[in-house]
Amino acid sequence: SGCNYLADGVSLHPNTFALKWLETLSLKNSDVVASIPKEISHLTSLKRLDLSWNAITGTIPTEISYLYNLEKLDLRGNFLSGTVPSDFIRLHSVEFIDISSNILGGNISGDMCETFRTIDFFVDCDLCSPGCCENCR
């Protein structure tokens, strides 16, 4: 069929990721049951990505770090696992990141901690080394 199914009755045609002009993708609290496709990186104009409070599983794809115009990334309240991609430090336009309330592991790198010190960066406290995350939850 060529579609990526994100939830019951909701599917995204592969051409969805060709919408290079799309600036906001918000599926907050939409009962999305899926993983984040790597093709998300094709949305090169994306400024706001809100997939919070769903049932999204899998890892946070490194490809999100190629969304150079991204200002807001909200992935809180899902079932994301793995580690926080170290490539997130490429997100130079970002002003807000919330990846709390997931099942992520590992530690926030010192480089990432330093890079995101001046933005709203929310993570679970167990991912932070002392003095790293001021907004841990």
Side-chain angles (χ1 to χ4, degrees):
S1 72
C3 291
N4 293 309
Y5 290 92
L6 293 181
D8 289 344
V10 176
S11 64
L12 290 179
H13 190 275
N15 289 342
T16 302
F17 299 106
L19 300 174
K20 296 185 184 301
W21 50 265
L22 187 69
E23 292 187 359
T24 298
L25 178 59
S26 180
L27 295 171
K28 178 180 182 176
N29 203 19
S30 297
D31 296 322
V32 175
V33 180
S35 58
I36 302 170
K38 294 179 180 192
E39 291 84 2
I40 196 87
S41 66
H42 298 178
L43 302 176
T44 54
S45 295
L46 203 61
K47 292 183 179 183
R48 290 167 295 285
L49 177 60
D50 189 344
L51 302 176
S52 62
W53 304 111
N54 286 290
I56 297 173
T57 59
T59 60
I60 300 173
T62 301
E63 287 79 4
I64 286 180
S65 64
Y66 298 122
L67 299 174
Y68 299 117
N69 295 308
L70 198 64
E71 297 171 359
K72 177 183 178 183
L73 175 63
D74 197 341
L75 302 176
R76 72 185 138 172
N78 284 289
F79 300 99
L80 292 165
S81 58
T83 59
V84 179
S86 58
D87 289 344
F88 267 22
I89 61 174
R90 293 182 186 163
L91 297 172
H92 297 291
S93 297
V94 75
E95 299 169 359
F96 177 97
I97 296 176
D98 194 338
I99 52 175
S100 64
S101 300
N102 280 288
I103 50 175
L104 296 166
N107 289 309
I108 302 297
S109 72
D111 287 344
M112 190 178 309
C113 181
E114 188 61 35
T115 300
F116 295 146
R117 191 168 302 281
T118 60
I119 70 163
D120 291 325
F121 181 50
F122 300 95
V123 296
D124 295 323
C125 292
D126 59 343
L127 299 179
C128 299
S129 53
C132 179
C133 307
E134 296 175 13
N135 295 321
C136 69
R137 298 179 175 175

